[in-house]
PDB file of all heavy atoms in Angstrom:
ATOM      1  N   SER A1220      15.950  21.494   6.035  1.00 97.00           N
ATOM      2  CA  SER A1220      16.704  22.753   5.964  1.00 97.00           C
ATOM      3  C   SER A1220      17.961  22.679   6.824  1.00 97.00           C
ATOM      4  O   SER A1220      19.013  23.221   6.465  1.00 97.00           O
ATOM      5  CB  SER A1220      15.818  23.927   6.411  1.00 97.00           C
ATOM      6  OG  SER A1220      15.473  23.818   7.782  1.00 97.00           O
ATOM      7  N   GLY A1221      17.880  21.983   7.968  1.00 98.00           N
ATOM      8  CA  GLY A1221      19.054  21.817   8.812  1.00 98.00           C
ATOM      9  C   GLY A1221      20.125  20.986   8.146  1.00 98.00           C
ATOM     10  O   GLY A1221      21.321  21.272   8.255  1.00 98.00           O
ATOM     11  N   ILE A1222      19.695  19.951   7.426  1.00 98.00           N
ATOM     12  CA  ILE A1222      20.642  19.101   6.701  1.00 98.00           C
ATOM     13  C   ILE A1222      21.393  19.906   5.642  1.00 98.00           C
ATOM     14  O   ILE A1222      22.612  19.765   5.481  1.00 98.00           O
ATOM     15  CB  ILE A1222      19.905  17.907   6.075  1.00 98.00           C
ATOM     16  CG1 ILE A1222      19.572  16.875   7.161  1.00 98.00           C
ATOM     17  CG2 ILE A1222      20.732  17.271   4.946  1.00 98.00           C
ATOM     18  CD1 ILE A1222      18.678  15.751   6.702  1.00 98.00           C
ATOM     19  N   VAL A1223      20.691  20.760   4.931  1.00 98.00           N
ATOM     20  CA  VAL A1223      21.329  21.589   3.901  1.00 98.00           C
ATOM     21  C   VAL A1223      22.412  22.461   4.527  1.00 98.00           C
ATOM     22  O   VAL A1223      23.515  22.606   3.973  1.00 98.00           O
ATOM     23  CB  VAL A1223      20.283  22.452   3.171  1.00 98.00           C
ATOM     24  CG1 VAL A1223      20.966  23.488   2.291  1.00 98.00           C
ATOM     25  CG2 VAL A1223      19.361  21.580   2.334  1.00 98.00           C
ATOM     26  N   LYS A1224      22.135  23.026   5.696  1.00 98.00           N
ATOM     27  CA  LYS A1224      23.132  23.872   6.373  1.00 98.00           C
ATOM     28  C   LYS A1224      24.362  23.056   6.768  1.00 98.00           C
ATOM     29  O   LYS A1224      25.502  23.520   6.637  1.00 98.00           O
ATOM     30  CB  LYS A1224      22.500  24.537   7.587  1.00 98.00           C
ATOM     31  CG  LYS A1224      21.456  25.593   7.239  1.00 98.00           C
ATOM     32  CD  LYS A1224      20.818  26.187   8.475  1.00 98.00           C
ATOM     33  CE  LYS A1224      19.865  27.320   8.107  1.00 98.00           C
ATOM     34  NZ  LYS A1224      18.713  26.854   7.300  1.00 98.00           N
ATOM     35  N   ALA A1225      24.149  21.844   7.255  1.00 98.00           N
ATOM     36  CA  ALA A1225      25.283  20.988   7.636  1.00 98.00           C
ATOM     37  C   ALA A1225      26.116  20.618   6.414  1.00 98.00           C
ATOM     38  O   ALA A1225      27.351  20.641   6.455  1.00 98.00           O
ATOM     39  CB  ALA A1225      24.773  19.730   8.336  1.00 98.00           C
ATOM     40  N   LEU A1226      25.456  20.273   5.318  1.00 98.00           N
ATOM     41  CA  LEU A1226      26.165  19.895   4.099  1.00 98.00           C
ATOM     42  C   LEU A1226      26.970  21.063   3.540  1.00 98.00           C
ATOM     43  O   LEU A1226      28.114  20.892   3.089  1.00 98.00           O
ATOM     44  CB  LEU A1226      25.172  19.399   3.048  1.00 98.00           C
ATOM     45  CG  LEU A1226      24.449  18.086   3.362  1.00 98.00           C
ATOM     46  CD1 LEU A1226      23.396  17.791   2.292  1.00 98.00           C
ATOM     47  CD2 LEU A1226      25.429  16.929   3.471  1.00 98.00           C
ATOM     48  N   GLU A1227      26.387  22.253   3.560  1.00 98.00           N
ATOM     49  CA  GLU A1227      27.097  23.433   3.069  1.00 98.00           C
ATOM     50  C   GLU A1227      28.332  23.708   3.916  1.00 98.00           C
ATOM     51  O   GLU A1227      29.393  24.054   3.393  1.00 98.00           O
ATOM     52  CB  GLU A1227      26.158  24.646   3.075  1.00 98.00           C
ATOM     53  CG  GLU A1227      25.059  24.571   2.011  1.00 98.00           C
ATOM     54  CD  GLU A1227      24.075  25.711   2.110  1.00 98.00           C
ATOM     55  OE1 GLU A1227      24.062  26.412   3.155  1.00 98.00           O
ATOM     56  OE2 GLU A1227      23.289  25.908   1.156  1.00 98.00           O
ATOM     57  N   PHE A1228      28.208  23.540   5.219  1.00 98.00           N
ATOM     58  CA  PHE A1228      29.333  23.769   6.122  1.00 98.00           C
ATOM     59  C   PHE A1228      30.455  22.772   5.847  1.00 98.00           C
ATOM     60  O   PHE A1228      31.641  23.127   5.858  1.00 98.00           O
ATOM     61  CB  PHE A1228      28.861  23.650   7.571  1.00 98.00           C
ATOM     62  CG  PHE A1228      29.914  23.953   8.586  1.00 98.00           C
ATOM     63  CD1 PHE A1228      30.157  25.257   8.995  1.00 98.00           C
ATOM     64  CD2 PHE A1228      30.674  22.940   9.153  1.00 98.00           C
ATOM     65  CE1 PHE A1228      31.135  25.542   9.936  1.00 98.00           C
ATOM     66  CE2 PHE A1228      31.662  23.207  10.087  1.00 98.00           C
ATOM     67  CZ  PHE A1228      31.888  24.519  10.478  1.00 98.00           C
ATOM     68  N   LEU A1229      30.085  21.528   5.581  1.00 98.00           N
ATOM     69  CA  LEU A1229      31.075  20.470   5.339  1.00 98.00           C
ATOM     70  C   LEU A1229      31.552  20.418   3.890  1.00 98.00           C
ATOM     71  O   LEU A1229      32.480  19.674   3.577  1.00 98.00           O
ATOM     72  CB  LEU A1229      30.473  19.114   5.710  1.00 98.00           C
ATOM     73  CG  LEU A1229      30.232  18.859   7.195  1.00 98.00           C
ATOM     74  CD1 LEU A1229      29.373  17.618   7.383  1.00 98.00           C
ATOM     75  CD2 LEU A1229      31.554  18.712   7.937  1.00 98.00           C
ATOM     76  N   LYS A1230      30.869  21.177   3.023  1.00 97.00           N
ATOM     77  CA  LYS A1230      31.162  21.168   1.592  1.00 97.00           C
ATOM     78  C   LYS A1230      30.982  19.764   0.998  1.00 97.00           C
ATOM     79  O   LYS A1230      31.799  19.286   0.201  1.00 97.00           O
ATOM     80  CB  LYS A1230      32.572  21.705   1.314  1.00 97.00           C
ATOM     81  CG  LYS A1230      32.740  23.174   1.680  1.00 97.00           C
ATOM     82  CD  LYS A1230      34.135  23.679   1.379  1.00 97.00           C
ATOM     83  CE  LYS A1230      34.241  25.192   1.536  1.00 97.00           C
ATOM     84  NZ  LYS A1230      33.823  25.682   2.867  1.00 97.00           N
ATOM     85  N   ILE A1231      29.911  19.120   1.418  1.00 98.00           N
ATOM     86  CA  ILE A1231      29.538  17.809   0.874  1.00 98.00           C
ATOM     87  C   ILE A1231      28.358  18.000  -0.063  1.00 98.00           C
ATOM     88  O   ILE A1231      27.377  18.664   0.274  1.00 98.00           O
ATOM     89  CB  ILE A1231      29.166  16.820   1.999  1.00 98.00           C
ATOM     90  CG1 ILE A1231      30.417  16.480   2.834  1.00 98.00           C
ATOM     91  CG2 ILE A1231      28.553  15.536   1.435  1.00 98.00           C
ATOM     92  CD1 ILE A1231      30.144  15.552   4.010  1.00 98.00           C
ATOM     93  N   ASP A1232      28.454  17.445  -1.250  1.00 98.00           N
ATOM     94  CA  ASP A1232      27.406  17.591  -2.256  1.00 98.00           C
ATOM     95  C   ASP A1232      26.124  16.895  -1.810  1.00 98.00           C
ATOM     96  O   ASP A1232      26.163  15.845  -1.172  1.00 98.00           O
ATOM     97  CB  ASP A1232      27.879  16.998  -3.587  1.00 98.00           C
ATOM     98  CG  ASP A1232      27.035  17.485  -4.762  1.00 98.00           C
ATOM     99  OD1 ASP A1232      25.882  17.034  -4.877  1.00 98.00           O
ATOM    100  OD2 ASP A1232      27.535  18.297  -5.550  1.00 98.00           O
ATOM    101  N   LEU A1233      24.999  17.484  -2.180  1.00 97.00           N
ATOM    102  CA  LEU A1233      23.699  16.938  -1.801  1.00 97.00           C
ATOM    103  C   LEU A1233      23.538  15.489  -2.263  1.00 97.00           C
ATOM    104  O   LEU A1233      22.942  14.661  -1.562  1.00 97.00           O
ATOM    105  CB  LEU A1233      22.582  17.805  -2.401  1.00 97.00           C
ATOM    106  CG  LEU A1233      21.176  17.608  -1.831  1.00 97.00           C
ATOM    107  CD1 LEU A1233      21.123  17.968  -0.354  1.00 97.00           C
ATOM    108  CD2 LEU A1233      20.170  18.445  -2.617  1.00 97.00           C
ATOM    109  N   LYS A1234      24.091  15.164  -3.413  1.00 97.00           N
ATOM    110  CA  LYS A1234      23.940  13.804  -3.948  1.00 97.00           C
ATOM    111  C   LYS A1234      24.658  12.773  -3.078  1.00 97.00           C
ATOM    112  O   LYS A1234      24.372  11.575  -3.167  1.00 97.00           O
ATOM    113  CB  LYS A1234      24.454  13.727  -5.387  1.00 97.00           C
ATOM    114  CG  LYS A1234      25.957  13.923  -5.545  1.00 97.00           C
ATOM    115  CD  LYS A1234      26.381  13.810  -6.991  1.00 97.00           C
ATOM    116  CE  LYS A1234      27.863  14.091  -7.172  1.00 97.00           C
ATOM    117  NZ  LYS A1234      28.734  13.194  -6.383  1.00 97.00           N
ATOM    118  N   ASP A1235      25.575  13.226  -2.237  1.00 98.00           N
ATOM    119  CA  ASP A1235      26.327  12.324  -1.367  1.00 98.00           C
ATOM    120  C   ASP A1235      25.752  12.300   0.051  1.00 98.00           C
ATOM    121  O   ASP A1235      26.443  11.979   1.017  1.00 98.00           O
ATOM    122  CB  ASP A1235      27.796  12.734  -1.314  1.00 98.00           C
ATOM    123  CG  ASP A1235      28.482  12.557  -2.662  1.00 98.00           C
ATOM    124  OD1 ASP A1235      28.256  11.521  -3.295  1.00 98.00           O
ATOM    125  OD2 ASP A1235      29.233  13.464  -3.070  1.00 98.00           O
ATOM    126  N   SER A1236      24.474  12.648   0.172  1.00 98.00           N
ATOM    127  CA  SER A1236      23.822  12.646   1.484  1.00 98.00           C
ATOM    128  C   SER A1236      22.715  11.601   1.526  1.00 98.00           C
ATOM    129  O   SER A1236      22.073  11.302   0.516  1.00 98.00           O
ATOM    130  CB  SER A1236      23.249  14.030   1.807  1.00 98.00           C
ATOM    131  OG  SER A1236      22.229  14.384   0.887  1.00 98.00           O
ATOM    132  N   TYR A1237      22.507  11.052   2.725  1.00 98.00           N
ATOM    133  CA  TYR A1237      21.504  10.002   2.952  1.00 98.00           C
ATOM    134  C   TYR A1237      20.755  10.316   4.239  1.00 98.00           C
ATOM    135  O   TYR A1237      21.305  10.960   5.139  1.00 98.00           O
ATOM    136  CB  TYR A1237      22.175   8.634   3.102  1.00 98.00           C
ATOM    137  CG  TYR A1237      22.974   8.167   1.915  1.00 98.00           C
ATOM    138  CD1 TYR A1237      24.214   8.728   1.623  1.00 98.00           C
ATOM    139  CD2 TYR A1237      22.486   7.158   1.088  1.00 98.00           C
ATOM    140  CE1 TYR A1237      24.959   8.299   0.528  1.00 98.00           C
ATOM    141  CE2 TYR A1237      23.231   6.718  -0.014  1.00 98.00           C
ATOM    142  CZ  TYR A1237      24.460   7.292  -0.276  1.00 98.00           C
ATOM    143  OH  TYR A1237      25.195   6.865  -1.356  1.00 98.00           O
ATOM    144  N   ALA A1238      19.536   9.836   4.342  1.00 98.00           N
ATOM    145  CA  ALA A1238      18.780  10.014   5.581  1.00 98.00           C
ATOM    146  C   ALA A1238      17.897   8.801   5.830  1.00 98.00           C
ATOM    147  O   ALA A1238      17.318   8.232   4.900  1.00 98.00           O
ATOM    148  CB  ALA A1238      17.924  11.279   5.517  1.00 98.00           C
ATOM    149  N   PHE A1239      17.812   8.407   7.104  1.00 98.00           N
ATOM    150  CA  PHE A1239      16.939   7.324   7.553  1.00 98.00           C
ATOM    151  C   PHE A1239      15.883   7.925   8.474  1.00 98.00           C
ATOM    152  O   PHE A1239      16.229   8.644   9.421  1.00 98.00           O
ATOM    153  CB  PHE A1239      17.722   6.275   8.341  1.00 98.00           C
ATOM    154  CG  PHE A1239      18.685   5.454   7.534  1.00 98.00           C
ATOM    155  CD1 PHE A1239      19.913   5.970   7.139  1.00 98.00           C
ATOM    156  CD2 PHE A1239      18.377   4.145   7.197  1.00 98.00           C
ATOM    157  CE1 PHE A1239      20.820   5.204   6.421  1.00 98.00           C
ATOM    158  CE2 PHE A1239      19.274   3.359   6.469  1.00 98.00           C
ATOM    159  CZ  PHE A1239      20.495   3.892   6.083  1.00 98.00           C
ATOM    160  N   GLY A1240      14.606   7.604   8.242  1.00 98.00           N
ATOM    161  CA  GLY A1240      13.561   8.129   9.109  1.00 98.00           C
ATOM    162  C   GLY A1240      12.273   7.343   9.018  1.00 98.00           C
ATOM    163  O   GLY A1240      12.115   6.484   8.144  1.00 98.00           O
ATOM    164  N   ASP A1241      11.360   7.664   9.929  1.00 96.00           N
ATOM    165  CA  ASP A1241      10.090   6.928   9.948  1.00 96.00           C
ATOM    166  C   ASP A1241       8.870   7.805  10.179  1.00 96.00           C
ATOM    167  O   ASP A1241       7.743   7.368   9.954  1.00 96.00           O
ATOM    168  CB  ASP A1241      10.118   5.867  11.061  1.00 96.00           C
ATOM    169  CG  ASP A1241       9.964   6.482  12.437  1.00 96.00           C
ATOM    170  OD1 ASP A1241      10.819   7.313  12.812  1.00 96.00           O
ATOM    171  OD2 ASP A1241       8.999   6.165  13.140  1.00 96.00           O
ATOM    172  N   GLY A1242       9.061   9.029  10.660  1.00 92.00           N
ATOM    173  CA  GLY A1242       7.928   9.860  11.053  1.00 92.00           C
ATOM    174  C   GLY A1242       7.577  10.940  10.057  1.00 92.00           C
ATOM    175  O   GLY A1242       8.325  11.219   9.113  1.00 92.00           O
ATOM    176  N   ARG A1243       6.434  11.572  10.309  1.00 90.00           N
ATOM    177  CA  ARG A1243       5.976  12.635   9.412  1.00 90.00           C
ATOM    178  C   ARG A1243       6.985  13.777   9.343  1.00 90.00           C
ATOM    179  O   ARG A1243       7.176  14.386   8.284  1.00 90.00           O
ATOM    180  CB  ARG A1243       4.627  13.165   9.898  1.00 90.00           C
ATOM    181  CG  ARG A1243       4.045  14.217   8.977  1.00 90.00           C
ATOM    182  CD  ARG A1243       2.840  14.901   9.572  1.00 90.00           C
ATOM    183  NE  ARG A1243       2.732  16.264   9.075  1.00 90.00           N
ATOM    184  CZ  ARG A1243       1.984  17.200   9.627  1.00 90.00           C
ATOM    185  NH1 ARG A1243       1.278  16.924  10.689  1.00 90.00           N
ATOM    186  NH2 ARG A1243       1.944  18.414   9.121  1.00 90.00           N
ATOM    187  N   ASN A1244       7.641  14.079  10.482  1.00 91.00           N
ATOM    188  CA  ASN A1244       8.626  15.168  10.453  1.00 91.00           C
ATOM    189  C   ASN A1244       9.943  14.751   9.810  1.00 91.00           C
ATOM    190  O   ASN A1244      10.906  15.514   9.791  1.00 91.00           O
ATOM    191  CB  ASN A1244       8.854  15.732  11.858  1.00 91.00           C
ATOM    192  CG  ASN A1244       9.512  14.744  12.799  1.00 91.00           C
ATOM    193  OD1 ASN A1244       9.464  13.526  12.578  1.00 91.00           O
ATOM    194  ND2 ASN A1244      10.111  15.250  13.858  1.00 91.00           N
ATOM    195  N   ASP A1245       9.990  13.529   9.254  1.00 96.00           N
ATOM    196  CA  ASP A1245      11.153  13.081   8.483  1.00 96.00           C
ATOM    197  C   ASP A1245      10.942  13.256   6.975  1.00 96.00           C
ATOM    198  O   ASP A1245      11.878  13.079   6.193  1.00 96.00           O
ATOM    199  CB  ASP A1245      11.455  11.598   8.761  1.00 96.00           C
ATOM    200  CG  ASP A1245      11.881  11.355  10.192  1.00 96.00           C
ATOM    201  OD1 ASP A1245      12.641  12.193  10.722  1.00 96.00           O
ATOM    202  OD2 ASP A1245      11.455  10.342  10.779  1.00 96.00           O
ATOM    203  N   ILE A1246       9.736  13.577   6.581  1.00 96.00           N
ATOM    204  CA  ILE A1246       9.427  13.671   5.150  1.00 96.00           C
ATOM    205  C   ILE A1246      10.324  14.687   4.459  1.00 96.00           C
ATOM    206  O   ILE A1246      10.878  14.426   3.378  1.00 96.00           O
ATOM    207  CB  ILE A1246       7.942  14.004   4.922  1.00 96.00           C
ATOM    208  CG1 ILE A1246       7.077  12.792   5.316  1.00 96.00           C
ATOM    209  CG2 ILE A1246       7.681  14.404   3.471  1.00 96.00           C
ATOM    210  CD1 ILE A1246       5.578  13.051   5.254  1.00 96.00           C
ATOM    211  N   GLU A1247      10.476  15.873   5.072  1.00 95.00           N
ATOM    212  CA  GLU A1247      11.300  16.919   4.440  1.00 95.00           C
ATOM    213  C   GLU A1247      12.728  16.456   4.222  1.00 95.00           C
ATOM    214  O   GLU A1247      13.328  16.731   3.187  1.00 95.00           O
ATOM    215  CB  GLU A1247      11.288  18.204   5.283  1.00 95.00           C
ATOM    216  CG  GLU A1247       9.972  18.943   5.308  1.00 95.00           C
ATOM    217  CD  GLU A1247       9.064  18.482   6.426  1.00 95.00           C
ATOM    218  OE1 GLU A1247       9.382  17.466   7.085  1.00 95.00           O
ATOM    219  OE2 GLU A1247       8.020  19.137   6.640  1.00 95.00           O
ATOM    220  N   MET A1248      13.277  15.744   5.197  1.00 97.00           N
ATOM    221  CA  MET A1248      14.681  15.331   5.014  1.00 97.00           C
ATOM    222  C   MET A1248      14.799  14.196   3.997  1.00 97.00           C
ATOM    223  O   MET A1248      15.786  14.126   3.264  1.00 97.00           O
ATOM    224  CB  MET A1248      15.346  14.976   6.346  1.00 97.00           C
ATOM    225  CG  MET A1248      15.000  13.667   6.983  1.00 97.00           C
ATOM    226  SD  MET A1248      16.124  13.359   8.392  1.00 97.00           S
ATOM    227  CE  MET A1248      15.568  11.734   8.909  1.00 97.00           C
ATOM    228  N   LEU A1249      13.809  13.318   3.941  1.00 98.00           N
ATOM    229  CA  LEU A1249      13.835  12.259   2.924  1.00 98.00           C
ATOM    230  C   LEU A1249      13.761  12.864   1.522  1.00 98.00           C
ATOM    231  O   LEU A1249      14.360  12.338   0.579  1.00 98.00           O
ATOM    232  CB  LEU A1249      12.676  11.289   3.146  1.00 98.00           C
ATOM    233  CG  LEU A1249      12.733  10.452   4.433  1.00 98.00           C
ATOM    234  CD1 LEU A1249      11.466   9.608   4.556  1.00 98.00           C
ATOM    235  CD2 LEU A1249      13.966   9.575   4.490  1.00 98.00           C
ATOM    236  N   GLN A1250      13.019  13.962   1.395  1.00 97.00           N
ATOM    237  CA  GLN A1250      12.919  14.655   0.105  1.00 97.00           C
ATOM    238  C   GLN A1250      14.182  15.455  -0.217  1.00 97.00           C
ATOM    239  O   GLN A1250      14.519  15.637  -1.383  1.00 97.00           O
ATOM    240  CB  GLN A1250      11.730  15.617   0.119  1.00 97.00           C
ATOM    241  CG  GLN A1250      10.367  14.971   0.136  1.00 97.00           C
ATOM    242  CD  GLN A1250       9.266  16.000   0.210  1.00 97.00           C
ATOM    243  OE1 GLN A1250       9.152  16.740   1.178  1.00 97.00           O
ATOM    244  NE2 GLN A1250       8.456  16.072  -0.821  1.00 97.00           N
TER     245      GLN A1250
END
């Protein structure tokens, strides 16, 4: 949800976003 807010602020399309993670609390951002 935080990533979506940052993207909206920057006016960057969701398809142009990437995330690197390893933990359970990274699942939402990977999705």
